[in-house]
Amino acid sequence: MTLAEAKRHLRLEPDETDEDDLIASLISVAREYAEGRQWKKLAVRDFELKAAADRTFQLPPPCQEILSVVVTDKDGQAIEIPGTDYYLYSDNYKASLVLSSAYKYPSLLPDNRFPVQIEFTCGLPTADVPKKTKHAILLLVGHWYENREASTEKKREKPPFAVDALLDMDRTWY
């Protein structure tokens, strides 16, 4: 979602720049709302997950690439798991990193609940974000632009029903 698209939706002139920072912030927050609702990432960026020692790890979809998988052993040494010892399954609705059955964890500290650190890149390229998701983000931006306070003289304003309805069409359900 670009600033220009949001300003068109809000019916603002492109040369009006006094509220650009506010609108950019609303776009970011609306994208985060959509990502939380859909449990997927809508902008490509890098993430880090700390996890328990397991064989399968659920990642937010769509996962583009695993950058590293590191295990901290009982001596506090970080040991990188080679890429040949795991594989990634990912589509727009699910992403899993699975360790091969041949991989054996080193000895781990019993009190280290999260000895595995996974660094990965995930998110949809801008061109691949569904139109209904983009429209839901625009609706949120418009709603929050017009309703800048948490409450008004009338009832507290909720995001429009259409936002969640549109987002749920591409939601990852578990």
Side-chain angles (χ1 to χ4, degrees):
M1 181 66 46
T2 67
L3 183 61
E5 289 172 315
K7 286 173 86 169
R8 254 191 324 276
H9 177 75
L10 297 170
R11 295 188 176 119
L12 298 174
E13 295 297 325
D15 59 349
E16 289 181 52
T17 59
D18 52 331
E19 293 196 319
D20 284 1
D21 289 343
L22 170 66
I23 297 166
S25 176
L26 293 175
I27 292 168
S28 179
V29 173
R31 188 200 72 238
E32 289 172 8
Y33 179 92
E35 287 176 339
R37 182 78 184 185
Q38 292 184 333
W39 208 78
K40 65 176 68 173
K41 300 301 178 188
L42 300 173
V44 178
R45 53 203 193 276
D46 292 344
F47 295 90
E48 179 182 301
L49 172 71
K50 293 186 181 197
D54 206 346
R55 307 299 305 171
T56 303
F57 304 90
Q58 297 301 313
L59 304 174
C63 191
Q64 308 294 331
E65 176 185 18
I66 301 298
L67 302 173
S68 69
V69 181
V70 176
V71 178
T72 304
D73 70 8
K74 67 178 180 170
D75 299 322
Q77 296 293 323
I79 302 168
E80 186 163 357
I81 300 175
T84 54
D85 284 340
Y86 60 83
Y87 64 92
L88 172 68
Y89 169 81
S90 182
D91 61 21
N92 284 346
Y93 299 98
K94 184 175 181 174
S96 301
L97 180 135
V98 180
L99 296 179
S100 71
S101 59
Y103 179 76
K104 304 289 184 231
Y105 276 106
S107 294
L108 305 173
L109 281 174
D111 62 341
N112 185 355
R113 294 182 42 212
F114 305 110
V116 180
Q117 180 177 320
I118 304 167
E119 293 182 3
F120 56 99
T121 302
C122 74
L124 284 171
T126 304
D128 294 345
V129 175
K131 288 180 182 178
K132 55 189 163 267
T133 299
K134 286 182 180 181
H135 189 68
I137 290 170
L138 284 173
L139 288 174
L140 272 176
V141 168
H143 175 75
W144 289 333
Y145 184 80
E146 293 299 323
N147 300 286
R148 297 182 190 201
E149 300 299 322
S151 60
T152 62
E153 290 179 15
K154 47 186 181 164
K155 284 173 65 173
R156 184 170 176 240
E157 295 287 331
K158 287 184 176 181
F161 169 77
V163 170
D164 288 342
L166 287 167
L167 293 175
D168 287 353
M169 293 169 83
D170 284 320
R171 185 174 187 178
T172 298
W173 299 92
Y174 284 106

